[in-house]
Amino acid sequence: MNLLNNISITVSEDKLQAIINTSDNLPLERTDLEQMLQEQNIVFGINEDTIEQLLNGTLNPGEHLIAQGIPPQNGEKSQNEFFFNTLPYLERESIKREDDSVNYHNKGEIDYVLTGDIVAKVTPATEGIHGTNVHGEELLAENGEIIPLLFNKTIAFADDNQNLIALNSGHPVLKNNQLEIQTAFEVLNVDYDTGNIDYKGNLLILENIRTGFDVKTQGNLEVRGAIHHTNTYVKGNIICRGGKIPGEEDSIIAEGDISIAYIEGGLVASGDTITVKEHIINSQTTAKIAIICKRKDAVIVGGTTKAGELIQTFDLGSPHETKTTVILDNVSEKFAKLKEIEKELREKSKLLAEGLNDFLHLGKLIKNKNFLIKTNKEQAVKILSTYSYIKSTRTALLEATQLLRQEKERIQTSIQFGKSPELYVYGTIHPKVHVVINHARISLRSALSNIKFSVFNNEIQIHSLKHIENETALEVDATIEMKPHNQEEINKEEAAAAEDQEPTQDTEQTQQKEKLVAEATC
């Protein structure tokens, strides 16, 4: 500390400030003041206003800042912001109901992102800004801490180098600072740990869907165990390496294909094809295209099995004569479509008829050579505009009518000349099996083997698969007829097929025909 004319200078402990303390306001000489600053090694951040006042004697007695350093500024640490729930799904609490009771079957929404969605944002760490103390010494600053965030090839930086986007659709997951998009949401079982699952993407269940828990997904479903008593709806395809455990009130529905080990009870429906390894027992099984039981010992027994084009199995029915119904139908939808087309044609014909008189009247009026002479300009414009509108409307109706007629003709041709649905039984078809093909029906009273069923001219045709190259036709006892094709009659027909009805022909004639069939198939 130096003293001059009752003046002292003190440097703060952090060396960022120098304070001058004066007991009077006598003016100082510049050389004296510079000497004091030099002795204290104060060379940076000197306050020129304070210096000027000291030299002029206008500084009030007391403490005044004579030099100010610049403190260092450490950088900000990086920030990772996520646009999904990073808490693992299984660790989430079950949803509470309005009465505060817990719904153990519901854990809320499962996160799902589409390709291109922003899943996270990384704000990078900033660099530190060094400071300088009053002695001119550099004060080092630290750069901001980098919070690591790893990601695999399912994630990439957007053009701004901050937003992270998904490179494929799926379930976003953050684990150990590793971010990824899983193409399938994966769980061990569907049970109380998961609650019911309603997911927008693909779903993988490593073991089972437990009793009482429903599954719904907009993607594909793979179950590596079994599906117990539950309701399952899938927008895509289902692969179940186990099977469907017996249950009458449950259902498995897929808009795509279903591949499953076995089906026992309940409803199983596919918008395309059902492939079964082992058996279908006492189930209501429906596929828009085909139902195929693949193994050589596969069997369909009990319930109703329905497809549009093909049903294939080894055995059908059982030696115990279990009532079993098989329905093949590729015309009902076409007849329903025809009905819709005919309704549309009637509506359009009605509209054309209703506007015909106005159209003809306006056309006759416009073609009159005195039209423009006798009609003022405003009325003429209105009449011409109305005529033009009616004409364009009628043209559109006529074009739509033509397209409908073409579609009607196409469907009618498809019904008349389209390929028959087919039923293949490579093993044995047992008694009490009812076969319906496009509403022609046959009920078997004795067992047959290696048989193909189809329909021709509204009658069921039966061929021996052993002689299929020669198209050997077999006669059997059957009541065959073409039924009306409105939905009410179709429902009645299917119900009738499920009934245990006796053939209408006498027993002696039936036995003779079945004997011929047996001989032909040996």
Side-chain angles (χ1 to χ4, degrees), residues 228-231 244-252 264-267:
H228 292 250
H229 312 305
T230 180
N231 293 311
K244 178 189 175 302
I245 302 299
E248 298 303 322
E249 301 299 325
D250 46 31
S251 63
I252 299 174
E264 297 178 2
L267 169 68

Side-chain angles (χ1 to χ4, degrees), residues 234-254:
V234 176
K235 189 81 172 176
N237 304 319
I238 294 177
I239 297 176
C240 180
R241 298 185 184 179
K244 178 189 175 302
I245 302 299
E248 298 303 322
E249 301 299 325
D250 46 31
S251 63
I252 299 174
I253 299 173

Side-chain angles (χ1 to χ4, degrees), residues 148-165:
L149 178 62
L150 305 176
F151 53 88
N152 62 13
K153 60 184 179 181
T154 62
I155 306 286
F157 272 111
D159 293 340
D160 61 7
N161 290 322
Q162 289 193 3
N163 288 314
L164 289 170
I165 59 174

Side-chain angles (χ1 to χ4, degrees), residues 318-333:
S318 77
H320 303 291
E321 300 188 358
T322 304
K323 184 169 62 177
T324 304
T325 301
V326 174
I327 300 173
L328 283 149
D329 183 359
N330 65 358
V331 297
S332 293
E333 288 188 7

Side-chain angles (χ1 to χ4, degrees), residues 12-182:
S12 63
E13 186 175 349
D14 60 9
K15 300 180 183 180
L16 285 174
Q17 288 185 335
I19 305 297
I20 188 167
N21 191 341
T22 63
S23 59
D24 55 42
N25 56 1
L26 296 176
L28 296 177
E29 294 292 331
R30 180 175 291 276
T31 55
D32 293 337
L33 187 56
E34 289 178 350
Q35 182 181 354
M36 292 181 65
L37 292 172
Q38 185 177 0
E39 290 176 354
Q40 292 279 28
N41 192 27
I42 299 171
V43 297
F44 181 82
I46 295 174
N47 189 332
E48 294 297 336
D49 288 341
T50 302
I51 296 294
E52 191 65 29
Q53 293 179 60
L54 285 169
L55 296 176
N56 295 334
T58 57
L59 188 67
N60 294 327
E63 294 184 347
H64 300 278
L65 183 68
I66 196 171
Q68 173 68 59
I70 298 174
Q73 297 181 31
N74 291 332
E76 297 288 336
K77 68 179 180 180
S78 64
Q79 299 289 330
N80 299 324
E81 182 182 4
F82 301 97
F83 302 115
F84 63 93
N85 189 345
T86 58
L87 181 66
Y89 183 76
L90 294 181
E91 296 179 15
R92 301 176 194 176
E93 297 291 335
S94 297
I95 300 296
K96 284 189 176 182
R97 301 185 181 92
E98 292 184 358
D99 60 0
D100 285 338
S101 62
V102 178
N103 181 0
Y104 291 104
H105 284 71
N106 188 1
K107 284 201 167 193
E109 184 178 1
I110 302 171
D111 297 285
Y112 179 79
V113 296
L114 297 172
T115 301
D117 282 353
I118 297 174
V119 294
K121 181 179 181 180
V122 176
T123 302
T126 60
E127 293 184 356
I129 301 174
H130 299 321
T132 306
N133 62 23
V134 296
H135 300 315
E137 300 169 338
E138 185 178 45
L139 302 177
L140 299 180
E142 295 182 357
N143 292 330
E145 179 186 1
I146 298 176
I147 306 300
L149 178 62
L150 305 176
F151 53 88
N152 62 13
K153 60 184 179 181
T154 62
I155 306 286
F157 272 111
D159 293 340
D160 61 7
N161 290 322
Q162 289 193 3
N163 288 314
L164 289 170
I165 59 174
L167 297 182
N168 57 256
S169 299
H171 177 58
V173 174
L174 178 67
K175 185 177 181 180
N176 298 327
N177 285 324
Q178 173 83 32
L179 180 63
E180 69 171 316
I181 307 299
Q182 297 178 347

Side-chain angles (χ1 to χ4, degrees), residues 177-412:
N177 285 324
Q178 173 83 32
L179 180 63
E180 69 171 316
I181 307 299
Q182 297 178 347
T183 55
F185 177 63
E186 180 180 313
V187 294
L188 183 63
N189 290 287
V190 178
D191 53 19
Y192 282 105
D193 287 337
T194 63
N196 297 331
I197 289 183
D198 187 348
Y199 183 53
K200 295 178 181 178
N202 299 325
L203 179 62
L204 171 60
I205 299 168
L206 299 176
E207 293 185 0
N208 306 300
I209 301 178
R210 300 294 189 188
T211 298
F213 291 90
D214 296 339
V215 170
K216 183 178 180 181
T217 177
Q218 299 299 309
N220 299 320
L221 169 65
E222 180 180 350
V223 182
R224 294 181 179 171
I227 300 176
H228 292 250
H229 312 305
T230 180
N231 293 311
T232 300
Y233 171 80
V234 176
K235 189 81 172 176
N237 304 319
I238 294 177
I239 297 176
C240 180
R241 298 185 184 179
K244 178 189 175 302
I245 302 299
E248 298 303 322
E249 301 299 325
D250 46 31
S251 63
I252 299 174
I253 299 173
E255 293 191 20
D257 295 323
I258 296 177
S259 177
I260 193 167
Y262 58 85
I263 298 172
E264 297 178 2
L267 169 68
V268 178
S270 164
D272 205 309
T273 297
I274 298 176
T275 303
V276 181
K277 278 188 176 181
E278 300 172 16
H279 56 258
I280 300 174
I281 297 177
N282 295 327
S283 172
Q284 305 302 309
T285 307
T286 302
K288 186 173 183 179
I289 304 299
I291 297 174
I292 300 173
C293 297
K294 299 184 70 173
R295 283 194 351 189
K296 289 185 177 180
D297 58 350
V299 61
I300 298 174
V301 57
T304 299
T305 304
K306 181 179 179 180
E309 302 292 343
L310 172 67
I311 295 177
Q312 176 182 308
T313 184
F314 190 77
D315 288 340
L316 184 56
S318 77
H320 303 291
E321 300 188 358
T322 304
K323 184 169 62 177
T324 304
T325 301
V326 174
I327 300 173
L328 283 149
D329 183 359
N330 65 358
V331 297
S332 293
E333 288 188 7
K334 295 175 183 177
F335 276 98
K337 183 62 177 178
L338 279 179
K339 189 175 181 180
E340 291 179 7
I341 290 173
E342 288 167 355
K343 181 181 178 182
E344 283 190 66
L345 284 171
R346 289 194 298 270
E347 291 173 350
K348 285 178 171 48
S349 296
K350 183 179 179 182
L351 291 172
L352 286 168
E354 288 175 349
L356 181 59
N357 290 335
D358 289 340
F359 180 67
L360 294 175
H361 173 71
L362 290 176
K364 184 177 180 180
L365 181 63
I366 292 170
K367 291 176 182 178
N368 190 309
K369 63 181 180 180
N370 295 320
F371 170 67
L372 295 176
I373 298 174
K374 295 182 178 181
T375 309
N376 63 48
K377 183 178 179 180
E378 184 178 347
Q379 288 177 327
V381 169
K382 185 175 182 180
I383 290 171
L384 289 169
S385 175
T386 302
Y387 179 79
S388 177
Y389 172 76
I390 295 176
K391 183 178 180 180
S392 63
T393 301
R394 288 181 62 81
T395 300
L397 283 170
L398 288 168
E399 290 175 352
T401 298
Q402 180 64 21
L403 290 174
L404 286 171
R405 286 174 178 162
Q406 291 173 357
E407 177 69 3
K408 178 181 177 180
E409 183 178 350
R410 186 192 65 80
I411 294 173
Q412 287 173 331

